[in-house]
Amino acid sequence: MSELVKQLKLNKQIIFDKGSFDNWCVYIVDEHHKHAPSDIEYFTALQLLAHRYPQGKIYKDFLKIYESTTTQVDSSVIKLIDNIVSSYKWND
């Protein structure tokens, strides 16, 4: 059963649901599409961002989130992510 993690702008949602090979998959959902970004997609995006911010910022922020994450949706981790996101430019 899917669990809403975060309601985003433009009718998008982030949900936590069963994946194709495990029970811990994050999906980005809009009115027409449910997509589970791959590790390659995530890490390519992070690599591109790393060129636009001070050295180590992306890595340090990633570690903060990674070290706080479990298999359960946790509102304190969502707040941490929101706080980290606010330190980036709006279009990143």
Side-chain angles (χ1 to χ4, degrees), residues 24-89:
W24 305 286
C25 190
V26 175
Y27 292 91
I28 299 171
V29 181
D30 65 24
E31 343 173 300
H32 307 289
H33 192 233
K34 179 178 176 183
H35 175 65
S38 67
D39 290 348
I40 291 171
E41 289 175 77
Y42 282 122
F43 288 111
T44 298
L46 292 172
Q47 185 178 34
L48 292 172
L49 284 174
H51 295 291
R52 300 200 316 242
Y53 289 91
Q55 184 175 1
K57 176 174 176 43
I58 303 297
Y59 181 71
K60 289 175 190 171
D61 288 344
F62 178 86
L63 283 182
K64 286 178 195 173
I65 296 166
Y66 178 82
E67 291 170 349
S68 301
T69 304
T70 68
T71 59
Q72 303 299 313
V73 176
D74 181 340
S75 62
S76 67
V77 177
I78 303 302
K79 288 177 187 175
L80 170 67
I81 293 169
D82 286 342
N83 190 25
I84 290 170
V85 165
S86 71
S87 72
Y88 289 84
K89 296 175 187 171

